[in-house]
Amino acid sequence: MIELQGVSILSSPFAADGSAIAAVESAAGDAAFRGQNPVTGEWLEPAYRTASSEQIEHAVGLARGAAPVLGGMPGRHRGQFLRAIAERLEGLVEPLVERVGQEAGLTEIRVRSELGRTVMQLRMFADVIEEGSWVDARIDTAQPDRQPLPRPDLRSMLRPLGPVAVFGASNFPLAYSVAGTDTASALAAGCPVVVKAHPAHPGASELVGRAVLAAQEATGMPAGTFAVLFDSGIAVGEALVRHPSIQAVGFTGSLQGGRHVFDLAAAREQPIPVYAEMGSLNPVFLLPGALAARGAALADELHQSFTRVSGQFCTKPGLVFFDGNEAFRERLCALTRQTAAGCMLHAGIARSFAAGIESLRTASGVEALVVPAATPTAAAAGACLFQTTVGQLLENRHLAAEVFGPTTLLVRYERLEELIAVARSLGGQLTGSVHAETTELAEAQPLIAIVAERAGRVVFNQFPTGVEVNNAMVHGGPYPATTDSRGTSVGPAAIRRFVRPVCYQNFPDAALPEELRAANPRNIRRLVDGQFTS
């Protein structure tokens, strides 16, 4: 096990000769805090401290200085950096399996899988920026003889925004945290990153942070390319969002937390974009033909989807519409009763889950089908199942509130028109799923069209839990699923969140970025005078 030290900040000023890295670790700051094992309740060593205002300024100041250097660096150099991070994380498999298991109660299989995804994401972004066409180079050459006015030479491409603040997520200690998708895509874009580590897994954050800094040194990245700040609460995150040098924010968490970050960013003298992914109900619409043909299989798949990892996925189905099929419902109830209580990621999530279950249990018009009497520990949660009707859901909008954990709400409908009405009533979603027989598709087209308006990913005859990392994936959606439905936090397109288009007019060829020069030295795909060419 690599020894953890307990820090307030990990940042990266180089020595005068540029050869050595020094982690800024100070006992200054607020009272110490520790990670907690959600299975045993044990408080874990070492202690960490909330970064002081001076340390925040130090980290952001270094990032501000690194921005123009990193942004002007060839993509192949940044790609080497991302690959070096991936390589060092692969060397930390055993320490991360141990520490993430202690801090989040996740199984070894889950940690190894999530680490594999984290490493794969880093290499995916390295591939994208090394190839180079992601910059969307567009060239309209000069037309000096055009009438009535000549056209100047115009060339545009995507350029990095500047320093980015990233919030570590509680439910993905690796893939959405210190070196996760927000960090990887921002670094790929050429933006320095300052991470606010999640207080539930400071040890894992330190291990990953040190790996990133080691890769930064080994590949010659500028001081300030990356830093991690530690915090027991929200003060450091608020300070980062307000800091005038921070130019964008990546956030994965609750609606309350994401909206708070968004409002802080909007209230700045210079508002900045916030890409907050804030959860989702992920409605599932089961049409009568599908239920009649394969109701038992649908019950099995739904049960696995909403109880997997104790329901702690942002794509967990929280609303399931069905026609009252008794065999489907009874099988789902039986499976839910047999589900052993699972560990929640931390005590705070367990408390929120308990409050959400109590709200549903006592709500008018809601029937509690399965609610376990007790759980073995304070951080454990038993699978729950509730039922209501479309009419009740439309009348009591609070029933359509996300409950993060192993539960779902069955909603009974009588006619397809009810499904269309209730689909229109829902807010933005990460996913929306429709299960139907092919004979039902024509009649279901109006429903599918509404689901596509409400969700970033529309799923047919499958359940939404799990997110592929590839070019076509969209992990986003209209508010309140995210604060900006035009982006995705998964896949190569995630890089576009941290760039903006810049146009160069009438520049000498030698003064242009390589991607826009006449000879196309990067050999990338470009749009030249309306025609794509490489």
Side-chain angles (χ1 to χ4, degrees):
M1 175 68 185
I2 295 174
E3 183 179 356
L4 296 169
Q5 298 182 26
V7 296
S8 296
I9 175 177
L10 290 173
S11 66
S12 53
F14 282 98
D17 61 2
S19 63
I21 194 168
V24 179
E25 302 163 2
S26 171
D30 292 341
F33 69 97
R34 291 170 172 80
Q36 184 180 30
N37 188 319
V39 178
T40 65
E42 172 193 5
W43 293 100
L44 304 170
E45 296 295 339
Y48 292 79
R49 292 183 179 273
T50 296
S52 67
S53 58
E54 291 79 12
Q55 291 170 328
I56 296 169
E57 187 61 44
H58 171 77
V60 178
L62 286 172
R64 180 174 60 244
V69 181
L70 190 65
M73 187 177 289
R76 60 185 178 276
H77 292 169
R78 297 201 301 274
Q80 290 170 359
F81 173 41
L82 296 179
R83 294 186 191 283
I85 298 171
E87 182 179 346
R88 280 156 179 78
L89 289 180
E90 287 178 326
L92 289 174
V93 173
E94 300 308 323
L96 284 171
V97 164
E98 179 181 353
R99 189 68 185 192
V100 174
Q102 291 173 341
E103 291 182 335
L106 297 178
T107 65
E108 178 178 348
I109 292 175
R110 161 64 194 271
V111 178
R112 288 181 181 273
S113 174
E114 188 179 331
L115 180 58
R117 172 177 168 173
T118 306
V119 167
M120 183 267 285
Q121 290 173 163
L122 288 159
R123 291 185 171 132
M124 174 195 70
F125 282 113
D127 289 341
V128 168
I129 61 177
E130 287 167 352
E131 188 280 328
S133 297
W134 73 274
V135 299
D136 192 23
R138 295 167 179 259
I139 298 173
D140 287 298
T141 55
Q143 294 180 357
D145 298 327
R146 190 186 67 173
Q147 297 297 326
L149 294 172
R151 185 176 80 181
D153 186 87
L154 298 166
R155 299 167 186 244
S156 69
M157 62 181 288
L158 300 176
R159 302 290 294 170
L161 290 176
V164 173
V166 169
F167 286 73
S170 65
N171 61 333
F172 280 87
L174 300 173
Y176 280 89
S177 290
V178 174
T181 180
D182 286 343
T183 296
S185 55
L187 290 173
C191 298
V193 172
V194 181
V195 176
K196 202 285 278 188
H198 197 281
H201 37 78
S205 298
E206 182 185 342
L207 285 169
V208 175
R210 292 189 184 281
V212 178
L213 291 174
Q216 176 178 297
E217 180 189 19
T219 56
M221 293 297 107
T225 294
F226 174 83
V228 183
L229 304 177
F230 293 79
D231 185 10
S232 61
I234 64 174
V236 169
E238 290 177 333
L240 284 175
V241 176
R242 291 190 178 107
H243 198 290
S245 292
I246 294 296
Q247 296 301 299
V249 177
F251 175 93
T252 301
S254 67
L255 174 58
Q256 180 183 10
R259 184 55 195 253
H260 180 56
V261 168
F262 179 82
D263 289 344
L264 286 175
R268 289 174 33 146
E269 182 176 353
Q270 174 219 354
I272 57 173
V274 172
Y275 298 101
E277 190 251 279
M278 302 176 291
S280 176
L281 292 166
N282 305 298
V284 175
F285 300 89
L286 305 176
L287 298 194
L291 282 164
R294 44 196 164 88
L298 288 173
D300 292 349
E301 293 167 15
L302 172 59
H303 170 260
Q304 183 181 39
S305 184
F306 85 82
T307 60
R308 183 182 173 193
V309 193
S310 295
Q312 296 171 107
F313 286 117
C314 52
T315 52
K316 180 212 75 175
L319 283 179
V320 179
F321 298 90
F322 82 124
D323 64 354
N325 185 295
E326 285 298 322
F328 163 80
R329 187 182 71 167
E330 290 309 311
R331 182 170 180 84
L332 186 60
C333 286
L335 291 169
T336 305
R337 291 190 191 98
Q338 296 166 12
T339 306
C343 181
M344 304 301 275
L345 290 158
H346 57 78
I349 288 180
R351 288 191 296 270
S352 295
F353 177 73
I357 293 303
E358 182 64 14
S359 177
L360 284 172
R361 191 186 66 80
T362 58
S364 175
V366 175
E367 180 184 358
L369 299 177
V370 180
V371 179
T375 54
T377 67
C384 302
L385 187 63
F386 298 87
Q387 178 177 295
T388 189
T389 64
V390 166
Q392 289 289 342
L393 186 65
L394 290 171
E395 186 176 339
N396 302 300
R397 299 300 299 276
H398 67 277
L399 298 180
E402 182 186 20
V403 180
F404 191 71
T407 188
T408 196
L409 176 62
L410 296 180
V411 184
R412 182 168 181 169
Y413 67 88
E414 301 290 340
R415 303 177 308 279
L416 181 62
E417 290 75 17
E418 286 185 305
L419 288 185
I420 292 172
V422 78
R424 283 201 181 99
S425 76
L426 297 175
Q429 309 292 328
L430 295 173
T431 74
S433 303
V434 177
H435 290 255
E437 295 293 280
T438 54
T439 54
E440 299 175 293
L441 279 177
E443 187 181 12
Q445 282 306 309
L447 172 64
I448 294 170
I450 295 167
V451 174
E453 291 177 359
R454 297 292 188 272
R457 175 161 57 107
V458 185
V459 182
F460 181 67
N461 279 356
Q462 291 182 330
F463 287 88
T465 317
V467 180
E468 288 291 330
V469 182
N470 55 29
N471 287 290
M473 177 52 63
V474 174
H475 191 59
Y479 184 86
T482 73
T483 49
D484 193 327
S485 64
R486 296 168 295 176
T488 174
S489 63
V490 172
I495 197 172
R496 290 179 171 269
R497 298 173 299 166
F498 303 115
V499 293
R500 64 182 180 89
V502 176
C503 180
Y504 298 82
Q505 181 170 331
N506 269 6
F507 264 68
D509 193 70
L512 287 166
E514 283 189 350
E515 293 86 348
L516 298 178
R517 292 178 186 173
N520 192 10
R522 294 292 310 282
N523 195 33
I524 62 174
R525 185 171 185 262
R526 307 191 297 186
L527 183 66
V528 180
D529 291 329
Q531 300 294 320
F532 282 107
T533 177
S534 58

